[in-house]
Amino acid sequence: MSAKKASSGDRELSVRATDKKKFGSNGSPRVAKSLQQDASLNGEKKIVRRKSGAQRRGQILETARDLIFTEGFSNFTIRIVAGRVGISEAAIYRHFTSKEELMLALLEALFAPWREAISKLVAEKLPFAKKLEELFHLHLHHLLNERLNPVLFFSEAINPQNQRLLADMRKNLSYLAQAVASIVKTGQKMKQVRADVQPEALEAAVLGLLQTTVIRWTLQRSADGLLEDGASNIAELARIVSYSEAEL
Amino acid sequence: MSAKKASSGDRELSVRATDKKKFGSNGSPRVAKSLQQDASLNGEKKIVRRKSGAQRRGQILETARDLIFTEGFSNFTIRIVAGRVGISEAAIYRHFTSKEELMLALLEALFAPWREAISKLVAEKLPFAKKLEELFHLHLHHLLNERLNPVLFFSEAINPQNQRLLADMRKNLSYLAQAVASIVKTGQKMKQVRADVQPEALEAAVLGLLQTTVIRWTLQRSADGLLEDGASNIAELARIVSYSEAEL
DNA sequence: TGTACATCAGTGAACGCGCGTTCACTGATGTAC
DNA sequence: TGTACATCAGTGAACGCGCGTTCACTGATGTAC
């Protein structure tokens, strides 16, 4: 068919890439349209703009991240990722051995800095209420900035085929749970949380508030009022379990 | 191929069905194996055990429910449902116009009684703590008995293709949220909840505890300790926001 | 500074698979006469 | 009670589609000499 010649026209062309930002930056990864047309006019054989493994790998992860964030896992296919990156499907397999490996690599790239940030916060010396507030902000800002929606990953992980993804998500969830538990226990030890409050119930309530906020974010697909309301609820919970002014 | 003759050997056979239980009962829907073999030995042409539309529809919904509950949405295909029911894939389309309609019909069949039960509870006259406790038990027992896991449906609803499923899940979620809000407001009006507690924060905490419990259920695939821990956390939250004994 | 060569990011085409859905057709069931 | 007929739950086979993955092959890149 005559359409065949034009079918791969949106691929990138010649010239060594040195301007690609690394994964995590916010810049647009689009190639200037003019470049392609210039090369087409040459009449020369199409030459691919090769990239080093690390660059391309980062670009694939970045593309997959944005795709999943904006369109969910149902549109996360090798075909679509390859199309957005501007390479063939087969080329994806030069950088990841399977779709599953790509998914797990992405998850790790997104969650590793999140865990590190939480670790640092837990170790800090702050009053109980302030620490909860910081945890909330850290959590939400990280998710928003990294375009990481745990609900999307969690939903995908429930699929029985994704055993490893589920294991990873469990790990991250229990990481958060332990951080909250640690904060609560420290709060009680420091006499900032009422001694008669059952720590398990308080932990569950804090986790519940965090989860509810993220679920709301997922449902409304907008961060409007999210940070304010969530922070306000967390602060109110902290106030309720603290010693009242009369008792101090 | 010679395998063709035996390929549909697990279908049901002749004899009018009058023993089928309606959707919602717990009985096994399996047909006695001997029936099939008897007919095979006759050497006669295979005759299908026809069922009335209502009966078959209920059987399909029941099968879909159990399939989704035990194996998740990734195994929920027309082929598999038809196979388990014991009819052809095409036959499914005599009872539901599309897979989506089947899914929505199932969701409604499962959630309608749940909403009704919540409605009744909200209208009852009970102390705040008791009402929260009842809500928790009602919610969990309903999910366990009906094999309805909202997390599974929610995860499926996030898929952009399932707009109507998402709308239905939103509706059910907001139904629960309003019930909780009503309970909290009544509790404050009746002076059973401290007046200084922000109702929005308390509502969010209660919803969070409910959600956390269901998520835990989904992750561990077992109800062990679920009811006890969840009920205990809800009760503790109710205690914390009530007036202390010294104040009464 | 040239050149030979190993490495590796790229390609197009094809694969087998499972999916939802449709088709023309079959024959059991219920009912009007 | 018998018969003609409309209704409708059933069938097997095929459909087009998108998926993840593999294949033999290409040619740009980096480096050892």
Side-chain angles (χ1 to χ4, degrees):
Chain A
M1 301 300 168
S2 61
K4 200 191 164 202
K5 212 156 213 161
S7 68
S8 57
D10 60 346
R11 294 272 161 69
E12 300 172 14
L13 300 164
S14 74
V15 186
R16 193 68 162 286
T18 55
D19 60 342
K20 195 65 201 75
K21 300 178 186 98
K22 62 178 242 200
F23 175 56
S25 73
N26 296 326
S28 157
R30 290 282 132 233
V31 176
K33 201 77 184 172
S34 61
L35 246 178
Q36 293 175 228
Q37 291 175 343
D38 287 347
S40 306
L41 292 173
N42 283 344
E44 294 297 316
K45 196 171 180 186
K46 191 159 49 63
I47 296 169
V48 185
R49 171 184 278 187
R50 272 188 64 156
K51 295 201 171 172
S52 77
Q55 276 182 318
R56 194 58 100 187
R57 191 183 151 93
Q59 191 190 5
I60 292 169
L61 286 174
E62 194 179 1
T63 303
R65 179 192 69 171
D66 294 351
L67 177 65
I68 290 169
F69 179 75
T70 55
E71 304 176 39
F73 269 89
S74 65
N75 274 349
F76 171 53
T77 69
I78 296 292
R79 258 174 190 68
I80 295 179
V81 171
R84 303 249 170 125
V85 170
I87 57 179
S88 68
E89 295 146 60
I92 299 285
Y93 289 87
R94 292 278 169 240
H95 304 278
F96 300 93
T97 60
S98 67
K99 191 192 181 189
E100 187 184 23
E101 292 301 328
L102 166 53
M103 200 167 58
L104 293 171
L106 176 61
L107 190 71
E108 188 54 23
L110 292 174
F111 265 114
W114 172 84
R115 289 198 302 269
E116 202 176 338
I118 287 181
S119 256
K120 268 188 193 154
L121 173 62
V122 169
E124 276 181 47
K125 269 201 170 183
L126 286 171
F128 175 73
K130 182 73 180 162
K131 215 159 187 175
L132 276 196
E133 183 194 330
E134 290 287 329
L135 177 67
F136 177 82
H137 277 115
L138 179 158
H139 186 57
L140 267 292
H141 276 125
H142 201 93
L143 302 189
L144 294 168
N145 289 342
E146 294 280 4
R147 297 179 218 173
L148 164 59
N149 188 327
V151 176
L152 295 182
F153 280 90
F154 184 76
S155 294
E156 183 65 13
I158 284 177
N159 180 320
Q161 288 140 6
N162 295 329
Q163 300 270 13
R164 293 171 61 195
L165 184 61
L166 180 59
D168 281 10
M169 288 304 296
R170 270 182 207 264
K171 191 183 75 179
N172 289 314
L173 194 61
S174 77
Y175 198 93
L176 181 62
Q178 282 178 24
V180 171
S182 166
I183 292 174
V184 166
K185 259 154 205 150
T186 304
Q188 270 184 331
K189 202 188 294 173
M190 297 297 177
K191 313 280 186 203
Q192 293 163 339
V193 174
R194 280 161 48 186
D196 68 310
V197 169
Q198 290 177 15
E200 295 82 10
L202 181 52
E203 289 159 27
V206 171
L207 280 179
L209 286 179
L210 288 174
Q211 281 164 352
T212 297
T213 304
V214 179
I215 289 173
R216 213 183 101 201
W217 177 42
T218 308
L219 284 175
Q220 69 187 29
R221 299 261 56 180
S222 136
D224 292 352
L226 213 65
L227 298 173
E228 296 76 4
D229 294 355
S232 153
N233 289 342
I234 291 270
E236 174 69 358
L237 183 64
R239 188 187 69 77
I240 291 172
V241 299
S242 298
Y243 289 102
S244 65
E245 292 181 9
E247 291 165 307
L248 293 176
Chain B
M1 302 299 170
S2 61
K4 200 191 166 200
K5 212 158 216 162
S7 69
S8 56
D10 60 344
R11 295 271 161 70
E12 299 171 16
L13 301 165
S14 75
V15 184
R16 194 67 161 286
T18 56
D19 60 342
K20 195 64 202 74
K21 301 177 186 100
K22 61 177 244 203
F23 174 57
S25 72
N26 296 324
S28 157
R30 288 283 131 232
V31 176
K33 201 77 182 173
S34 61
L35 248 178
Q36 292 177 227
Q37 291 175 341
D38 288 347
S40 305
L41 293 172
N42 284 346
E44 294 297 314
K45 197 169 181 188
K46 192 160 47 62
I47 297 169
V48 185
R49 172 185 275 187
R50 274 186 62 156
K51 295 200 173 173
S52 77
Q55 276 181 317
R56 193 59 100 190
R57 192 183 150 93
Q59 192 189 5
I60 292 169
L61 286 174
E62 194 179 0
T63 303
R65 179 193 69 172
D66 293 351
L67 177 65
I68 290 169
F69 179 74
T70 55
E71 304 175 38
F73 269 90
S74 65
N75 275 348
F76 172 52
T77 70
I78 295 293
R79 259 173 190 64
I80 294 179
V81 171
R84 302 248 170 129
V85 170
I87 56 177
S88 68
E89 296 146 60
I92 299 284
Y93 289 87
R94 291 278 170 241
H95 305 278
F96 300 93
T97 61
S98 67
K99 191 191 181 188
E100 188 184 23
E101 292 301 329
L102 166 52
M103 200 167 58
L104 293 171
L106 176 61
L107 190 71
E108 187 56 22
L110 292 174
F111 264 114
W114 171 85
R115 289 198 302 269
E116 202 176 336
I118 288 181
S119 256
K120 268 188 193 155
L121 173 62
V122 169
E124 276 181 46
K125 268 201 169 181
L126 285 172
F128 176 72
K130 181 72 179 165
K131 216 158 185 174
L132 277 195
E133 184 194 329
E134 290 286 327
L135 177 67
F136 177 82
H137 277 116
L138 181 158
H139 186 56
L140 266 294
H141 276 124
H142 200 92
L143 303 189
L144 293 168
N145 290 343
E146 293 279 4
R147 298 181 216 171
L148 165 59
N149 189 327
V151 176
L152 294 181
F153 279 89
F154 184 77
S155 295
E156 183 65 13
I158 285 176
N159 179 321
Q161 288 140 6
N162 295 330
Q163 300 270 14
R164 293 171 60 196
L165 183 61
L166 181 60
D168 281 10
M169 288 303 296
R170 270 183 208 263
K171 192 183 72 178
N172 288 313
L173 194 60
S174 77
Y175 198 94
L176 181 62
Q178 282 177 23
V180 171
S182 165
I183 291 174
V184 166
K185 260 154 204 150
T186 303
Q188 270 183 331
K189 204 187 295 171
M190 297 297 176
K191 314 282 188 201
Q192 293 163 339
V193 174
R194 282 163 46 185
D196 67 309
V197 169
Q198 290 177 15
E200 296 81 10
L202 180 51
E203 289 159 25
V206 171
L207 279 180
L209 286 180
L210 287 174
Q211 281 164 353
T212 298
T213 304
V214 179
I215 289 172
R216 215 184 100 200
W217 177 42
T218 307
L219 284 175
Q220 66 188 33
R221 298 263 52 181
S222 136
D224 293 351
L226 213 64
L227 298 172
E228 296 77 4
D229 293 356
S232 153
N233 289 342
I234 292 269
E236 174 69 358
L237 182 64
R239 188 187 68 80
I240 291 172
V241 298
S242 299
Y243 288 105
S244 66
E245 291 180 9
E247 291 165 307
L248 292 176

